[in-house]
Amino acid sequence: MAKSLVIVESPTKAQTIGKYLGKNFTVKASVGHIKDLPKGKLGVDIENGFSPTYLLLPSKKKVVDQIRKAAESANEIYLACDPDREGEAIAWHLAEEIQGKKGKGSKGAKKIHRILMHEITKNGIQEALKNPQELDQHLYEAQQARRILDRLVGYQISPLLWDKVRRGLSAGRVQSVAVRLICEREEEISAFKPEEYWSIDFECEGSSPPPFRARVVTLEGKKIQVTNADEAKRIVDEISRENILLKTIERKERRRHAPPPFITSRIQQDASQKLGFSAKKTMVLAQQLYEGVSLGEEGPIGLITYMRTDSTRVSPSAIEAVRGYIHGQFGPSFVPPQPNFYKNKKAAQDAHEAIRPSSLDYPPDRVRPFLDRDQFRLYELIWKRFVASQMESAVIDQTTFQMTSGDYGLRATGSQIKFPGFLAAYQIDRLIEEKQGEEEADDEDRNLPALVEGETLKLLHPFPEQHFTEPPPRYNEASLIKILEEKGIGRPSTYAAIVSTILEKEYVAKETGKFTPTRLGVIVNKLLVENFPEILNVEFTAQMEGELDEVEEGRRHYVEALKDFYDPFEKTLEKAKKQMKNIKAQEIKTDLVCEKCNSPMIVKWGRRGEFVACSNYPECKNTREFQWNKEGEIELSKREVTGEFCSQCGSQMIIKSGRFGRFLACPKYPECKTTRAVSIGVSCPVCQQGKVTEKRSRKGRTFYGCTAYPECKFASWDKPIPEKCPECKAVFLVVKFKKTGEEIRCATKGCEYTRPTASSS
């Protein structure tokens, strides 16, 4: 009997779906995209309607052969790729490979259905199979237009950067705008001039305890601004000589409304602020929760709905279920009379529900034993946010004392939670959420005493305090994603990739969780802004996203959108080829003198960025690494001397940095070119012959490998140390670098020995 064939992207998703569908279905996974534009060339025929050339990925040939074979014997074929633009593109390419040269609609061609699974549950899968659709050409063309746009920009601007700056750099239609935002914020910070101001508080006491603090806020009815110590002292002296009169007491009830359920951008922000996750990590974990996690005897279960969405919409059945859960878990007073509904943002596509638990049968405590720590923390966050979204508002009693002392006005504000409402399930992080009100900054949960209007208050102690205005903060992942979303740059599914790319390309660095532009990032950004002002324009980038949405909705043809973009871009590109400054050829004079030949030293650009070189090159090949200090001056890097000696000339070797990390080099280069890998003093635990050395991957990440490679393939991301495990007697331990600090642990599977390092304890 012929079976129906269901094709998804992920093997995990295939396993979860297969459990529900039973023996009459075969489920295959494409393992992501099966086709893409060719590497190394543009792959877009600009002259013929921007026609793309897609090639079958070599790594997917075996997978596609298996899918074709399964399709030949299937009576029905269902493409169940993710329900978004990218999933539609994968489905389209799969259909082309299955139908082959016959093409859709031709004699003998297989009938192919497109199904959309918004949650990987039994009901979600059955509902999708009941409602098969045609492949969506508009959605596919919108994704194709995005891919072509990115290829046109990346493959035509990036070679310019290779010629003018260094090889390996890249420009992107969206990533370069993100770098621009970070660079502009840094310029604001550099240009900022702090201004002094003072706050003046008085500790007061009335007829009932406790004492409380009141702040001076007005002078003769106008807002007061105190800018220096002398003025602050004068005000303290004047008020200290007067009585303080409690003029009015204002009491009001304030409501804080429940937050909407998560959308993609919001979960990335919340997970960054609350859990310390990068956007990339958040999306990887969410994908795992969506595709299915094995829950023991129950097998794999999809725990959340689709995680790429810009909509706060929730299905009626899910709302009914969560209201019942709230009633049972928190009580009837926590359930609002009518369900809470939330408005979507203006540009929202509303294609999918908000991110929520796929079933309330799996509360966090029930699934905790089956999830790893990070999966559980993200699932718990999603669960709590969804439950809170359908709870009653929190009610806060707020009290304000308005006081006078001569011509001065003072104010004290306190508030107390009267009814917790949604706060019983989910605490809002005010750094992320919209402001709930100007008065709600420092006073929540502070009680004021029970006083009466007209009281004269006793002044206990003044608290004048000096402050300085602060520059705008650097972006962290949460705030960068927030500004990208607000300005319409990129789409929810692209934010994680944007952040990862600008870090990998070393355009920005992350310091204490905040983004700062590197010197390379500043230089590249300046070149792009000068030569491609429209491409790097925030409004223009947002406009292009809007045009892609129009393509998806069928209101605009994708070729027309590409042509409108490319005609002016082509002219700008030709102009930039002639006018863009050549940083490679640029030489900056310095006051430094070469220690080998006494010639002046100059700053030059190489494959790894800036370095100081002798101006007498090629006669003298002396070079030094350096850093720019905060004053814009050059600081030469200290040469790291080792206890090892050159095997050729006997000189004490130094540590240098190269393309693949640090290495030992003879200081007499170029006369002596001896180099060696840097050993960390640990024998290889696999072959026992080589030494473990520090290396660097293609993406610049440090790892540790054996000097006997390729004969010995030992490798570790964690740094081995020459110390035996006290529990299992393994020949070495490793240093694990975590956000909470360093940790020493055993790398042997099954051994749980750990201890903090000296620097962490």
Side-chain angles (χ1 to χ4, degrees):
M1 178 181 166
K3 293 183 178 182
S4 295
L5 173 65
V6 177
I7 308 172
V8 297
E9 297 123 297
S10 157
T12 303
K13 192 173 172 183
Q15 185 184 7
T16 308
I17 292 171
K19 182 190 80 166
Y20 292 117
L21 290 179
K23 61 182 181 180
N24 292 328
F25 287 83
T26 300
V27 186
K28 294 285 184 181
S30 71
V31 198
H33 283 278
I34 61 166
K35 289 183 177 182
D36 199 3
L37 297 173
K39 283 189 176 181
K41 61 180 181 179
L42 189 61
V44 178
D45 189 345
I46 296 167
E47 301 300 324
N48 291 296
F50 298 92
S51 176
T53 300
Y54 289 110
L55 300 179
L56 188 65
L57 297 170
S59 60
K60 297 300 173 66
K61 187 178 183 304
K62 187 176 178 181
V63 170
V64 171
D65 286 344
Q66 290 172 349
I67 289 172
R68 282 201 199 106
K69 188 174 180 181
E72 285 174 6
S73 58
N75 56 358
E76 297 283 352
I77 300 171
Y78 298 93
L79 300 176
C81 308
D82 285 351
D84 57 14
R85 287 177 183 170
E86 199 157 356
E88 198 68 24
I90 295 172
W92 201 274
H93 291 152
L94 283 166
E96 289 175 346
E97 289 302 311
I98 291 168
Q99 289 163 341
K101 294 179 181 179
K102 293 177 183 177
K104 179 183 173 183
S106 61
K107 189 176 180 181
K110 290 280 185 179
K111 175 65 176 174
I112 294 177
H113 307 284
R114 176 74 165 110
I115 57 174
L116 304 176
M117 295 181 181
H118 300 286
E119 57 185 62
I120 311 299
T121 60
K122 187 174 183 178
N123 288 339
I125 294 164
Q126 288 175 346
E127 190 66 26
L129 287 169
K130 285 178 190 174
N131 297 284
Q133 304 173 12
E134 295 288 327
L135 286 165
D136 188 332
Q137 184 169 349
H138 297 314
L139 195 61
Y140 170 63
E141 288 179 347
Q143 174 62 22
Q144 181 164 271
R146 177 186 290 279
R147 186 75 185 93
I148 292 171
L149 271 173
D150 291 341
R151 178 57 68 103
L152 291 173
V153 173
Y155 267 52
Q156 295 191 83
I157 297 182
S158 297
L160 258 183
L161 296 178
W162 302 348
D163 290 340
K164 307 292 185 180
V165 187
R166 78 178 196 209
R167 289 195 66 82
L169 299 181
S170 72
R173 186 178 56 86
V174 178
Q175 76 176 50
S176 297
V177 177
V179 174
R180 179 177 184 174
L181 290 172
I182 294 168
C183 288
E184 287 178 346
R185 177 56 58 89
E186 198 66 24
E187 289 169 8
E188 289 178 57
I189 294 169
S190 298
F192 182 82
K193 291 182 171 54
E195 295 180 3
E196 181 183 7
Y197 71 98
W198 287 70
S199 63
I200 303 171
D201 292 352
F202 284 90
E203 188 172 31
C204 304
E205 188 175 48
S207 56
S208 299
F212 63 95
R213 280 198 184 191
R215 177 160 294 183
V216 181
V217 290
T218 61
L219 174 61
E220 297 178 344
K222 295 180 180 178
K223 187 176 179 181
I224 194 168
Q225 290 184 319
V226 185
T227 58
N228 57 67
D230 291 341
E231 190 179 357
K233 185 177 184 306
R234 178 178 58 76
I235 292 170
V236 168
D237 291 343
E238 288 179 8
I239 293 177
S240 298
R241 291 194 295 267
E242 299 281 343
N243 291 324
I244 295 182
L245 178 68
L246 177 53
K247 197 169 184 181
T248 62
I249 300 175
E250 300 170 5
R251 292 186 176 89
K252 62 180 178 180
E253 190 177 271
R254 201 164 42 78
R255 300 177 76 83
R256 288 182 67 185
H257 300 301
F262 278 133
I263 59 176
T264 304
S265 58
R266 186 67 72 185
I267 195 174
Q268 290 173 354
Q269 294 171 53
D270 244 37
S272 173
Q273 293 283 6
K274 292 178 181 293
L275 307 179
F277 292 172
S278 67
K280 183 177 180 180
K281 180 175 181 175
T282 299
M283 296 312 290
V284 167
L285 292 170
Q287 184 87 34
Q288 293 167 358
L289 295 173
Y290 163 70
E291 290 180 348
V293 179
S294 180
L295 302 184
E297 293 179 359
E298 292 186 67
I301 301 287
L303 291 176
I304 65 170
T305 55
Y306 193 55
M307 64 286 154
R308 292 188 181 92
T309 178
D310 56 10
S311 174
T312 57
R313 174 173 53 83
V314 174
S315 71
S317 60
I319 290 176
E320 184 181 348
V322 75
R323 284 168 63 83
Y325 174 84
I326 295 165
H327 187 283
Q329 195 75 14
F330 297 94
S333 59
F334 286 83
V335 184
Q338 300 296 325
N340 295 332
F341 293 99
Y342 301 91
K343 285 185 178 179
N344 286 328
K345 297 194 174 180
K346 189 176 179 181
Q349 294 174 293
D350 196 29
H352 318 293
E353 279 191 64
I355 304 168
R356 62 169 176 82
S358 56
S359 170
L360 292 177
D361 293 335
Y362 299 99
D365 287 344
R366 180 179 172 185
V367 301
R368 186 171 199 157
F370 307 102
L371 305 182
D372 66 33
R373 181 172 179 267
D374 289 340
Q375 286 174 333
F376 172 77
R377 292 171 73 202
L378 187 65
Y379 181 62
E380 185 181 44
L381 192 71
I382 293 167
W383 177 279
K384 288 181 175 180
R385 177 83 171 211
F386 176 59
V387 170
S389 72
Q390 287 299 324
M391 292 177 74
E392 269 284 14
S393 301
V395 181
I396 297 163
D397 278 340
Q398 186 168 287
T399 304
T400 303
F401 289 172
Q402 300 286 0
M403 294 151 281
T404 59
S405 176
D407 292 332
Y408 293 99
L410 296 86
R411 185 169 63 213
T413 306
S415 59
Q416 186 177 24
I417 295 176
K418 182 178 180 181
F419 174 68
F422 75 91
L423 293 173
Y426 187 85
Q427 292 291 325
I428 285 182
D429 190 330
R430 291 198 194 113
L431 293 174
I432 300 171
E433 300 297 334
E434 300 298 326
K435 287 185 179 178
Q436 301 288 328
E438 292 297 324
E439 298 159 335
E440 175 200 352
D442 306 311
D443 304 309
E444 192 154 296
D445 301 330
R446 186 179 79 177
N447 271 324
L448 291 177
L451 305 180
V452 294
E453 291 181 356
E455 279 194 41
T456 299
L457 305 176
K458 183 180 179 182
L459 209 166
L460 299 179
H461 199 282
F463 291 94
E465 189 174 354
Q466 183 187 40
H467 309 274
F468 291 92
T469 55
E470 294 185 353
R474 291 185 173 97
Y475 292 112
N476 57 20
E477 283 213 20
S479 57
L480 181 62
I481 289 169
K482 189 170 189 289
I483 195 71
L484 291 173
E485 182 186 28
E486 285 175 356
K487 292 185 176 294
I489 300 166
R491 280 295 176 261
S493 59
T494 66
Y495 297 145
I498 291 168
V499 172
S500 296
T501 300
I502 62 178
L503 282 167
E504 286 170 8
K505 294 298 180 182
E506 299 181 353
Y507 293 145
V508 301
K510 222 176 182 183
E511 298 174 7
T512 61
K514 302 291 181 68
F515 292 118
T516 56
T518 60
R519 183 161 170 81
L520 174 64
V522 170
I523 289 170
V524 170
N525 177 65
K526 188 177 179 183
L527 289 176
L528 294 178
V529 170
E530 286 175 352
N531 293 277
F532 297 93
E534 192 167 63
I535 300 295
L536 270 287
N537 182 282
V538 171
E539 288 74 22
F540 176 78
T541 306
Q543 176 193 325
M544 283 305 307
E545 293 294 345
E547 291 189 19
L548 290 173
D549 291 344
E550 289 179 8
V551 172
E552 180 175 332
E553 294 158 10
R555 295 188 288 117
R556 187 179 179 86
H557 195 274
Y558 84 98
V559 174
E560 179 189 343
L562 290 171
K563 186 170 173 45
D564 287 348
F565 164 80
Y566 192 74
D567 286 349
F569 171 69
E570 186 178 29
K571 293 172 185 172
T572 306
L573 184 67
E574 290 306 314
K575 188 177 176 184
K577 287 177 181 177
K578 298 172 186 174
Q579 296 184 357
M580 185 181 280
K581 188 185 295 182
N582 191 336
I583 302 297
K584 273 184 181 177
Q586 187 174 283
E587 296 180 349
I588 303 173
K589 293 180 180 179
T590 73
D591 296 330
L592 301 172
V593 176
C594 176
E595 68 264 34
K596 292 189 175 181
C597 70
N598 292 323
S599 298
M601 301 285 278
I602 55 176
V603 175
K604 299 186 73 173
W605 271 86
R607 285 182 300 178
R608 302 191 64 253
E610 290 176 300
F611 64 97
V612 172
C614 180
S615 59
N616 194 27
Y617 179 87
E619 284 73 21
C620 179
K621 296 179 180 176
N622 185 27
T623 62
R624 294 290 300 273
E625 296 175 4
F626 77 96
Q627 299 85 34
W628 296 98
N629 63 22
K630 290 181 179 179
E631 287 72 41
E633 299 168 340
I634 289 173
E635 287 184 356
L636 293 177
S637 302
K638 290 183 179 178
R639 281 184 167 149
E640 209 174 330
V641 179
T642 70
E644 298 191 41
F645 295 88
C646 176
S647 57
Q648 299 298 317
C649 67
S651 300
Q652 192 171 22
M653 300 190 83
I654 59 174
I655 291 180
K656 299 188 81 173
S657 294
R659 185 180 173 191
F660 297 107
R662 304 196 314 157
F663 63 95
L664 291 174
C666 181
K668 292 187 177 179
Y669 178 87
E671 290 80 19
C672 180
K673 297 180 179 178
T674 303
T675 62
R676 279 205 303 271
V678 178
S679 169
I680 60 172
V682 178
S683 296
C684 176
V686 175
C687 71
Q688 302 294 325
Q689 303 297 318
K691 296 287 185 181
V692 177
T693 63
E694 183 182 294
K695 298 185 177 183
R696 188 174 294 180
S697 70
R698 283 186 223 173
K699 291 189 175 180
R701 187 177 171 189
T702 299
F703 72 100
Y704 302 89
C706 180
T707 52
Y709 179 86
E711 287 75 20
C712 177
K713 292 184 169 58
F714 168 78
S716 169
W717 291 116
D718 302 322
K719 182 178 181 180
I721 56 174
E723 184 180 334
K724 284 188 176 181
C725 175
E727 291 189 6
C728 73
K729 308 305 178 186
V731 295
F732 72 98
L733 298 172
V734 297
V735 179
K736 179 75 176 175
F737 297 95
K738 304 171 73 177
K739 285 193 175 181
T740 52
E742 295 178 2
E743 176 184 88
I744 293 175
R745 71 182 189 186
C746 183
T748 305
K749 192 173 183 180
C751 182
E752 297 182 356
Y753 175 76
T754 60
R755 75 166 191 266
T757 62
S759 60
S760 299
S761 56

